[in-house]
Amino acid sequence: AGKTMAEWLRFGVAYWHTFNQRLVDPFGDGTAQRPFDRYTDPMELALAKVDYAFDFYTKLGVQYFCFHDRDLAPEGDTLRESNKNLDKVVDRIEQLQRDTGMKLLWNTSSLFTNPRFLSGAATSPFADIYAYSAGQLKHSLEIAKRLGAENYVFWGGREGYENLWNTDLKREQDHIARFFHMCVDYAKEIGLDAQFLIEPKPKEPTTHQYDFDAATSIAFLQTYDLADHFKLNLEGNHANLAGHTYQHEIRVARAAGMLGSLDANQGDKLIGWDIDEFPSDLYETTAVMWEIVDEGQIGPRGGLNFDAKPRRTSFTAEDLYLGHIVGMDTYAAGLLVAAKMHEDRFIEELVSTRYESFDSGIGATVEDGSATLASLEEHALDVPQADLMKAVRSDHLECVKATINNY
Ligand code: GLO
Ligand code: NI
Ligand code: NI
Ligand code: NI
């Protein structure tokens, strides 16, 4: 379709899983063996980590990276001190970007790790925490500007509630909407040209998160007059947690014109939490890439960020490479299958045939807006059941699945 594979597959590496994950689980200590673990001074460690990261990106051959502010540098006792630590590492990243040409797909702010955020950040019931979050976000947007971020992500890790009996849901949503408007205003003020993205997730860590899924997030953005400023960053594992397929979330966002970027991981369908597997399911990547090819792009500035981590049993540095390679290969294969399916047009034809009764007659009056309940009633009133059943055709879904299997 006139695009190279690399243009379709703008791969990015997530700093948090790749370089911060110690591969712990609730029952066990970290198993990760990383070359930079010998550093004991926190700032020395922070700088060694970004050096290692950029070497990793280069060897892997990706174009993009993504990070949270707090992935990069240790916090100080005050926001001012934390900003100072962060700026030292950002200086190094600026240099490394110049040396390697690596681009920032997006950055974001961790408003969920530190215990101060235990009841939320921009939905915290405590005004000092809200102000702190706003201050932290301001600096994070400045970093986006410095490093030329193509997008900026908001994942509301603790923006939700544990229990409605102690929560003013409407007030919390009003607050976070104000927060987003302030972010839009500040981006404009400093000339930050990054696409803002909300990343929906239904739960974990919070029992109920406000950005539950694509549909909920779109409704929130429209309600608060934010729809012109945000699109969505969709994640496979989050889709599954919300009871959806990844393809569903992407299609819902596309229908609203809000597809922004993808966190390319996959959920283990047997486990009910966000285990962030590297994508290895060719059926899923085919479905995702089918949507992307149909859309013409992931989003105006979108990419495929591997928000994924190795399992605790894969603890060597080599496993980090292998995980990403599996993900890249599975997406590349998915793209090839999806492109061929589009070329053959059998899905397109199947869908347009299925709706052809809306192309003329009574169906066309629905599409052109001239139908009323009365005109439709008149059409329907005396049609016998047998004729109605003639109008309903079998979908032959097993044949569709088998056809896809042939690719
Ligand atoms: C967690 C999310 C998380 C976000 C990232 C952006 O489940 O997937 O990894 O993508 O933190 O804030
Ligand atoms: Ni994510
Ligand atoms: Ni996730
Ligand atoms: Ni994640």
Side-chain angles (χ1 to χ4, degrees):
K3 264 193 213 194
T4 64
M5 281 188 84
E7 283 166 332
W8 286 112
L9 303 169
R10 297 166 20 116
F11 291 127
V13 174
Y15 195 94
W16 52 102
H17 288 312
T18 313
F19 310 109
N20 281 12
Q21 274 287 337
R22 295 172 40 246
L23 302 183
V24 296
D25 71 20
F27 303 97
D29 294 338
T31 55
Q33 298 170 2
R34 297 136 346 152
F36 45 77
D37 281 334
R38 61 197 154 90
Y39 291 93
T40 47
D41 175 71
M43 278 310 290
E44 259 176 44
L45 172 64
L47 293 167
K49 260 199 312 199
V50 290
D51 287 346
Y52 182 83
F54 274 76
D55 182 57
F56 181 86
Y57 305 145
T58 311
K59 287 189 175 135
L60 201 60
V62 293
Q63 300 167 263
Y64 293 98
F65 65 109
C66 301
F67 65 85
H68 303 86
D69 46 7
R70 298 297 175 251
D71 299 339
L72 295 182
E75 290 205 59
D77 188 47
T78 61
L79 183 56
R80 192 184 301 279
E81 284 171 25
S82 300
N83 287 348
K84 236 167 86 189
N85 291 347
L86 185 51
D87 286 343
K88 275 187 213 146
V89 181
V90 171
D91 289 343
R92 175 78 67 107
I93 290 183
E94 233 180 353
Q95 184 57 48
L96 287 162
Q97 273 185 290
R98 269 198 295 270
D99 295 347
T100 61
M102 210 59 63
K103 288 177 283 190
L104 182 55
L105 183 62
W106 49 262
N107 63 315
T108 182
S109 188
S110 169
L111 298 176
F112 47 85
T113 307
N114 190 287
R116 75 177 75 88
F117 301 121
L118 66 86
S119 297
T123 61
S124 171
F126 313 117
D128 280 344
I129 304 301
Y130 187 100
Y132 189 102
S133 309
Q136 185 175 327
L137 215 292
K138 175 175 176 289
H139 196 67
S140 186
L141 293 175
E142 288 157 7
I143 291 169
K145 162 93 183 161
R146 262 184 81 184
L147 300 182
E150 302 204 5
N151 303 273
Y152 188 90
V153 163
F154 296 84
W155 169 58
R158 297 196 191 265
E159 312 291 22
Y161 62 81
E162 299 300 333
N163 195 313
L164 273 184
W165 292 112
N166 69 2
T167 302
D168 189 336
L169 176 145
K170 171 79 166 51
R171 204 165 173 186
E172 292 196 356
Q173 294 200 334
D174 289 351
H175 288 174
I176 196 168
R178 277 295 312 139
F179 187 87
F180 288 144
H181 275 288
M182 289 186 253
C183 293
V184 169
D185 292 345
Y186 191 63
K188 206 184 278 168
E189 193 182 320
I190 63 175
L192 168 62
D193 175 36
Q195 169 67 58
F196 279 4
L197 304 172
I198 299 258
E199 183 175 324
K201 182 178 183 181
K203 58 185 172 191
E204 194 200 20
T206 308
T207 304
H208 183 107
Q209 294 185 197
Y210 291 134
D211 301 325
F212 192 92
D213 61 359
T216 313
S217 305
I218 291 164
F220 166 83
L221 292 169
Q222 288 169 345
T223 303
Y224 286 100
D225 202 19
L226 288 159
D228 289 344
H229 303 287
F230 285 79
K231 292 191 187 305
L232 302 180
N233 183 42
L234 297 169
E235 176 164 324
N237 206 149
H238 297 183
N240 299 157
L241 289 176
H244 302 309
T245 61
Y246 203 3
Q247 186 181 16
H248 167 95
E249 288 293 85
I250 294 170
R251 186 75 69 87
V252 168
R254 289 182 62 202
M258 287 214 183
L259 180 60
S261 195
L262 298 175
D263 266 8
N265 65 16
Q266 91 186 11
D268 183 318
K269 309 292 185 285
L270 302 177
I271 297 181
W273 70 88
D274 195 16
I275 61 170
D276 294 328
E277 291 264 17
F278 282 99
S280 62
D281 178 342
L282 183 54
Y283 286 90
E284 189 165 89
T285 61
T286 297
V288 170
M289 291 315 297
W290 192 91
E291 295 296 324
I292 300 312
V293 174
D294 198 46
E295 179 74 11
Q297 58 181 6
I298 299 177
R301 322 251 185 105
L304 291 158
N305 166 50
F306 291 118
D307 186 356
K309 57 174 173 276
R311 305 266 56 80
R312 195 162 172 269
T313 44
S314 292
F315 45 78
T316 65
E318 193 187 348
D319 287 320
L320 266 186
Y321 281 96
L322 294 176
H324 284 87
I325 291 166
V326 166
M328 292 162 80
D329 279 357
T330 310
Y331 264 96
L335 169 62
L336 292 175
V337 173
K340 185 76 176 78
M341 283 169 64
H342 270 290
E343 212 177 287
D344 294 352
R345 300 200 66 75
F346 84 93
I347 294 290
E348 286 86 342
E349 271 155 36
L350 184 148
V351 174
S352 77
T353 311
R354 193 158 183 253
Y355 294 89
E356 70 194 359
S357 61
F358 280 90
D359 293 342
S360 60
I362 191 73
T365 68
V366 173
E367 296 208 343
D368 70 21
S370 63
T372 63
L373 285 185
S375 72
L376 295 171
E377 182 200 39
E378 193 193 308
H379 179 88
L381 221 41
D382 300 311
V383 183
Q385 171 68 8
D387 286 4
L388 286 175
M389 284 316 294
K390 262 186 252 156
V392 177
R393 278 193 302 253
S394 163
D395 279 328
H396 306 304
L397 272 182
E398 293 311 317
C399 292
V400 177
K401 285 187 211 157
T403 311
I404 293 174
N405 278 340
N406 288 335
Y407 279 84

